[in-house]
Amino acid sequence: MEADQAFQDRPRDWMQHSRLVGLVALVVGAGSGIGEESARVIAANGGKVVVADIRGDAANDVAAAIVAAGGDATSVSMDVANQADIDAAVARAIEAYGRLDIVVNAAAVVKGGPIETCDLADWTLSFRVNVEGAIMLARTCLPHLRGSPHASIVQIASLSGMGAYPNGGAYGTTKAALIALTKTMAMEWVKDGVRVNIVSPGTVETPLMRAVLTPEVVEQRAARIPMGRLGRPSELADTIVFLASPMASFITGQNLNCDGGLSQALMVQKFNPDL
Ligand SMILES: NC(=O)c1ccc[n+]([C@@H]2O[C@H](COP(=O)([O-])OP(=O)(O)OC[C@H]3O[C@@H](n4cnc5c(N)ncnc54)[C@H](O)[C@@H]3O)[C@@H](O)[C@H]2O)c1
């Protein structure tokens, strides 16, 4: 409990409130969970944030909370799978702040089902949002990012993009595609001075995770994580914002697992510090 309180009380301006001053970020899927926390951390470190989400009300609420906390944010309702919405969100960033430096894409749909029987329409939607949306978003932002000395894109994948995810094939397969896409973008756009990286969470305590997993499965998953607990959205946000920030200026094309050690636990059945 004491450790938990210390974690909650830790300063949020770990970049000393200066690293992101003058930079403008578009955070997509920022109405909740990991995207919301990323928007908050960017604002807490001096960045200006366009909070975008398909749920416009949620985006409004997050932007209002950032402003109430002394940060600078505006919100936009946006479906990452809709080119006109993306155009409008980028236009909002330019209109409100005159530039765009950082793009964080945390939007995703999670569609499951066994491969033998799953509905292929779910695969089409998953690829549309999780992969094509990422392409459309990144390349729409690119002309503006080219003008920034600190241009950076961070995508969010999942451990399911690297290992088997039985009954979650559509989701895991799109995340594998997103990892490959990110690496290709990074190499194609290195000449433009745009860094592109991706963070792969393990299991994180968010509304999305609670919606797709039963409490029993959550408990089983937590028991398999070497750190013995789920990730917190703010821990993912710190990782994402580090990669997005000038502090990661020599890092591009990387997939960073933020998972409490789960991806390295191949030989571990249950964490035992005495092993
Ligand atoms: N929570 C986990 O355990 C976990 C694990 C691995 C990967 N991830 C990934 O992390 C990212 C964030 O997930 P989260 O857990 O914070 O989920 P979340 O549901 O809390 O947040 C996702 C947000 O994206 C928005 N969104 C969904 N579809 C959208 C669209 N088409 N356009 C714009 N916004 C859209 C939702 O409204 C929501 O606010 C996702 O890419 C997810 O796949 C999460």
Side-chain angles (χ1 to χ4, degrees):
M1 284 315 281
E2 205 176 300
D4 239 26
Q5 194 55 49
F7 176 83
Q8 295 300 343
D9 293 346
R10 79 200 197 289
R12 304 301 292 143
D13 60 341
W14 52 271
M15 287 196 221
Q16 298 170 336
H17 201 86
S18 61
R19 297 290 183 168
L20 300 182
V21 168
L23 301 186
V24 175
L26 170 61
V27 184
V28 180
S32 113
I34 295 166
E36 173 181 351
E37 280 299 320
S38 299
R40 288 175 185 270
V41 173
I42 290 168
N45 286 282
K48 296 172 177 151
V49 190
V50 180
V51 178
D53 201 284
I54 197 166
R55 294 176 303 118
D57 289 353
N60 284 345
D61 290 349
V62 172
I66 288 173
V67 171
D72 198 338
T74 184
S75 65
V76 62
S77 177
M78 172 198 149
D79 178 356
V80 77
N82 181 309
Q83 184 63 54
D85 283 5
I86 296 172
D87 291 342
V90 173
R92 170 69 64 81
I94 302 305
E95 174 193 291
Y97 300 124
R99 59 186 292 142
L100 184 60
D101 306 276
I102 293 168
V103 180
V104 174
N105 178 22
V109 291
V110 185
K111 293 289 176 187
I115 288 171
E116 188 178 4
T117 54
C118 65
D119 185 346
L120 286 181
D122 286 343
W123 285 67
T124 304
L125 176 66
S126 300
F127 271 93
R128 179 68 187 162
V129 175
N130 299 358
V131 183
E132 289 178 31
I135 296 172
M136 293 191 290
L137 175 66
R139 70 185 187 186
T140 306
C141 294
L142 183 62
H144 300 285
L145 295 175
R146 277 194 189 110
S148 166
H150 299 297
S152 168
I153 299 172
V154 181
Q155 312 276 6
I156 322 297
S158 163
L159 293 194
S160 65
M162 289 166 278
Y165 187 20
N167 303 325
Y171 178 72
T173 304
T174 61
K175 293 300 189 180
L178 190 57
I179 293 168
L181 173 69
T182 299
K183 292 176 178 178
T184 301
M185 275 182 191
M187 292 302 101
E188 290 191 2
W189 297 348
V190 74
K191 65 179 186 323
D192 299 291
V194 179
R195 296 184 302 102
V196 193
N197 291 290
I198 190 158
V199 171
S200 287
T203 306
V204 186
E205 185 66 67
T206 68
L208 177 83
M209 187 276 293
R210 287 281 172 200
V212 296
L213 300 181
T214 63
E216 294 72 41
V217 172
V218 171
E219 210 172 291
Q220 286 164 16
R221 285 228 187 153
R224 289 192 53 232
I225 295 170
M227 285 191 181
R229 63 172 176 84
L230 304 182
R232 301 172 174 114
S234 61
E235 291 175 301
L236 270 297
D238 286 350
T239 306
I240 291 161
V241 177
F242 163 71
L243 281 176
S245 79
M247 293 184 74
S249 56
F250 202 47
I251 302 177
T252 197
Q254 300 304 309
N255 175 22
L256 180 52
N257 297 340
C258 183
D259 63 358
L262 182 57
S263 53
Q264 301 305 320
L266 201 58
M267 309 296 281
V268 180
Q269 293 307 311
K270 191 171 185 338
F271 179 63
N272 178 350
D274 300 326
L275 282 178

